[in-house]
Amino acid sequence: MAESAGAKPVIMVTNDDGIDSPGIRALVQVLVSANCYQVLVCAPDSEKSAVSHSITWLHPISAKHVEIEGATAYAVSGTPADCTSLGISQALFPAIPDLVISGINMGSNCGYHIVYSGTVGGAREAFFNDIPSISISYDWVRGQSNAHDFKVGAEACLPLISAVMMEIKNDNFPKRCFLNVDLPTGVANHKGYKLTKQGTSIFKMGWKQVSSERQGQRMSSTMTMETDTPAGYDINLSSNISSGHLIFKREVKNSFIDNEDTDYKTLKEGYITVTPLGALSRAEIECETYFRDWLQHVAVRPSTSAL
């Protein structure tokens, strides 16, 4: 850790809601105020929700210095995974961070939504590069949540972050996982931390044709079509659709909520959920068993070159 060289340990922060979003600003403010860490910020210059682990491949990305008190910050024209990759590469910052935190996202990331999440993608990219990481999301609910909840949530996560940093310092943090943390809507009255596992909850989406781009209003970070945002947080999501094109917008068709003791159910019970994640996409053991037997009965055709 950087601390061993006489400096504070380094935390790099990214997100998918963009560098101006209230979630990342609250998290950075709380980390800086703790006066225990050197805080770096490398985050998208605009909204990048639900981009999963996509990366920029065909063209360069740019980084612009942004003033955030107490931190060294850059807004990047890339995805959350791009931001993490750039931020830990030593091409932008001289130090490799001891910990990467992605968030705080406006909207929970539980169940199958973890696959879509750019917030989780930012943390996973650090995991791919052997750097401990945490993704943090807040279960934003229209009419109940407000921007101050992000600060409350960041403060609620501080003991967890401090404990993770201690494990990193002692070289005890597991190398084969990263953590996904979800904060309940009533975070000021949360019931404490609870270890969970990823479930299968999902909002299933469909498409609806609309007559104008304006009617195809933004899908919020919550993936529930809730379109309110905190005061002062403006998002430019123009897509420059040309005339003559058919226009479709996503809509929620239905939802599936698992009733097992998993991340989403535990979050809705009022706990701060802590879910260890990896990056393998293995099927359930029953599927492996089925296809092991099935494959033995699939006839192998001879190649045409052997005929």
Side-chain angles (χ1 to χ4, degrees):
M1 288 180 65
E3 193 177 22
S4 61
K8 294 176 181 177
V10 179
I11 295 179
M12 194 196 82
V13 182
T14 190
N15 74 343
D16 74 358
D17 289 332
I19 199 164
D20 293 320
S21 68
I24 195 170
R25 292 303 181 110
L27 177 60
V28 171
Q29 179 186 2
V30 167
L31 291 173
V32 169
S33 297
N35 199 31
C36 298
Y37 314 111
Q38 178 186 349
V39 182
L40 310 176
V41 181
C42 188
D45 58 8
S46 60
E47 171 90 24
K48 293 292 189 298
S49 290
V51 299
S52 189
H53 205 111
S54 62
I55 60 172
T56 302
W57 187 258
L58 297 178
H59 57 81
I61 60 175
S62 63
K64 179 181 180 182
H65 183 260
V66 174
E67 291 293 335
I68 299 181
E69 186 176 355
T72 304
Y74 286 88
V76 176
S77 63
T79 67
D82 288 333
C83 293
T84 295
S85 180
L86 177 63
I88 66 178
S89 68
Q90 294 186 279
L92 183 64
F93 303 119
I96 298 174
D98 300 295
L99 174 67
V100 171
I101 304 177
S102 185
I104 299 171
N105 188 62
M106 191 185 84
S108 64
N109 277 305
C110 297
Y112 284 149
H113 285 181
I114 285 172
V115 177
Y116 294 113
S117 172
T119 303
V120 177
R124 190 188 297 111
E125 181 67 20
F127 166 71
F128 282 165
N129 289 274
D130 302 316
I131 296 175
S133 59
I134 307 171
S135 50
I136 305 176
S137 303
Y138 167 60
D139 189 20
W140 177 278
V141 173
R142 179 171 52 191
Q144 299 181 41
S145 302
N146 60 71
H148 180 66
D149 293 332
F150 289 111
K151 184 179 180 182
V152 176
E155 290 170 343
C157 287
L158 199 55
L160 181 68
I161 294 168
S162 298
V164 167
M165 292 301 294
M166 184 59 66
E167 293 302 297
I168 295 170
K169 179 180 179 180
N170 294 331
D171 199 26
N172 289 330
F173 191 85
K175 302 293 194 296
R176 298 179 64 183
C177 68
F178 63 101
L179 296 180
N180 184 47
V181 175
D182 280 278
L183 305 166
T185 305
V187 64
N189 300 304
H190 69 83
K191 297 180 179 180
Y193 304 127
K194 191 168 184 179
L195 188 73
T196 62
K197 61 182 179 180
Q198 182 183 359
T200 57
S201 296
I202 188 171
F203 287 94
K204 295 192 175 182
M205 301 291 174
W207 292 92
K208 177 182 179 181
Q209 186 172 356
V210 294
S211 59
S212 70
E213 186 176 1
R214 185 175 184 82
Q215 282 185 299
Q217 60 188 353
R218 72 180 293 265
M219 168 81 76
S220 80
S221 300
T222 64
M223 294 184 70
T224 61
M225 295 303 290
E226 294 184 345
T227 56
D228 70 324
T229 54
Y233 176 41
D234 296 322
I235 302 173
N236 180 9
L237 289 176
S238 59
S239 58
N240 300 316
I241 297 176
S242 302
S243 61
H245 288 70
L246 299 178
I247 303 173
F248 298 86
K249 74 167 201 173
R250 283 191 182 271
E251 60 179 358
V252 176
K253 289 291 188 181
N254 53 60
S255 62
F256 171 77
I257 308 301
D258 60 35
N259 292 316
E260 297 182 22
D261 192 18
T262 55
D263 48 6
Y264 188 81
K265 180 173 181 282
T266 305
L267 176 68
K268 288 301 185 180
E269 290 172 350
Y271 291 95
I272 297 176
T273 61
V274 180
T275 308
L277 296 178
L280 298 177
S281 298
R282 290 178 174 146
E284 298 289 338
I285 190 66
E286 309 89 75
C287 294
E288 293 183 8
T289 301
Y290 173 86
F291 282 107
R292 185 179 296 111
D293 296 336
W294 171 83
L295 194 58
Q296 293 176 359
H297 298 92
V298 176
V300 178
R301 291 186 177 184
S303 65
T304 55
S305 60
L307 296 177

